[in-house]
Amino acid sequence: MIYKITDTTQVSLLFGRWEETLIWSCLQGMMGNVYADDLRHPTAAMAVLGDFTFFAGKPDRELASYNPDPLARNFRILVPQNRRWETVITQIYGEKASIVSRYATKKEPDVFDRVKLEKAAASLPKPYRLSMIDEPLFRMCRANPWSADLVSQFPDYQTYRKLGIGAVLCQENQIISGASSYARYRDGIEIEIDTREDCRRKGFAYICGAKLISECLKRNLYPSWDAHNKASIALAEKLGYHYSHTYRAIEIRE
């Protein structure tokens, strides 16, 4: 049987020193949920936030096959703590599972060149406009499939205003690029960056990212960056991050 965990002290040791801020969000009770195989003496656990699920502890087939919200997600990113978990997950999902590489960055709070970031954010030419996400822009993000993930993990603007932070670039009152908090943990955020397909490769993501990172630093929030492909890690390094390591994840498409 699978249990939803409210007191995460019982499962935090299973995740150990895993430096994934989405896990921290779940364990801290900020966002997401944690599930385990036992309430009092768990040996396996998973942290679920948005599209992501992280598996820790002793591999468990029932937990690996459990989807707490099957109607809402036809795409999931499952991240195993080790190859034993990976084997169990791929056996369960078969052809629906694709192993991909993702790229982690080092958590270095003092690494950023604030002057460089501010100059980048101010380099936007006319007629484009760079704005922090307010309620109308929040609603515009949610209305477009390509930009929805900029705010999708926040149920409403009031929650986003309290926990989230983001910037979008607009042209003629239309959002064409943005950088925002995919999730919030106690001391920072996990960054989400998206650009409308016809506006990519023009430097807009760099400008939005620079603005968001700069604003996070002003608020003493760490802007964590986890890259889903090589272009994303290249952009992260341009903004001041340093590559940490490559890890394997499993994408599930129902």
Side-chain angles (χ1 to χ4, degrees):
M1 188 170 180
I2 305 302
Y3 300 89
K4 186 175 180 180
I5 304 300
T6 55
D7 181 5
T8 59
T9 57
Q10 294 293 325
V11 299
S12 60
L13 289 177
L14 297 176
F15 291 95
R17 297 181 179 274
W18 202 344
E19 284 199 334
E20 283 287 351
T21 64
L22 299 184
I23 296 175
W24 300 347
S25 296
C26 295
L27 293 178
Q28 293 169 3
M30 298 286 292
M31 298 176 70
N33 292 296
V34 179
Y35 301 86
D37 61 339
D38 191 274
L39 283 174
R40 294 186 177 181
H41 305 288
T43 62
M46 67 181 194
V48 182
L49 203 169
D51 292 331
F52 293 83
T53 302
F54 299 84
F55 294 92
K58 183 180 178 181
D60 182 279
R61 288 188 65 87
E62 184 180 8
L63 191 66
S65 61
Y66 181 67
N67 185 353
D69 194 6
L71 297 179
R73 298 189 182 95
N74 55 18
F75 172 73
R76 301 167 69 202
I77 301 171
L78 311 184
V79 186
Q81 192 177 51
N82 49 50
R83 290 295 179 92
R84 291 179 298 141
W85 269 110
E86 181 182 299
T87 298
V88 170
I89 293 167
T90 53
Q91 286 176 349
I92 290 169
Y93 290 97
E95 294 182 353
K96 296 178 181 179
S98 300
I99 297 176
V100 298
S101 294
R102 296 182 64 90
Y103 307 91
T105 59
K106 295 180 180 179
K107 305 291 190 290
E108 301 173 302
D110 300 321
V111 75
F112 301 103
D113 184 335
R114 299 192 182 208
V115 175
K116 179 181 177 181
L117 291 172
E118 290 175 2
K119 285 183 178 179
S123 67
L124 187 66
K126 295 181 179 180
Y128 304 107
R129 185 179 76 256
L130 187 62
S131 306
M132 300 303 292
I133 296 177
D134 57 12
E135 187 166 7
L137 290 172
F138 176 89
R139 297 184 184 280
M140 287 177 63
C141 288
R142 294 185 71 172
N144 295 298
W146 73 264
S147 61
D149 273 346
L150 293 171
V151 299
S152 62
Q153 301 312 311
F154 301 87
D156 49 49
Y157 176 69
Q158 287 68 33
T159 306
Y160 182 83
R161 183 179 181 183
K162 179 181 178 181
L163 298 177
I165 181 174
V168 292
L169 191 155
C170 296
Q171 180 185 25
E172 297 179 352
N173 298 319
Q174 293 293 320
I175 297 172
I176 59 174
S177 186
S180 183
S181 44
Y182 184 81
R184 171 68 186 272
Y185 66 102
R186 196 171 293 144
D187 300 318
I189 67 166
E190 184 66 38
I191 289 180
E192 172 77 18
I193 290 190
D194 293 299
T195 300
R196 202 173 70 190
E197 188 172 1
D198 62 318
C199 297
R200 293 172 183 169
R201 297 181 178 85
K202 296 182 179 181
F204 296 151
Y206 176 68
I207 292 171
C208 291
K211 178 65 173 178
L212 176 57
I213 294 167
S214 180
E215 293 297 324
C216 282
L217 297 177
K218 291 176 184 178
R219 293 163 170 77
N220 293 318
L221 296 173
Y222 183 75
S224 177
W225 188 300
D226 186 86
H228 69 283
N229 58 31
K230 290 184 178 180
S232 180
I233 191 64
L235 176 59
E237 291 176 332
K238 186 177 179 181
L239 287 163
Y241 295 89
H242 292 122
Y243 167 82
S244 173
H245 62 277
T246 302
Y247 67 93
R248 290 157 67 96
I250 304 165
E251 293 184 350
I252 307 296
R253 299 180 186 273
E254 299 290 351

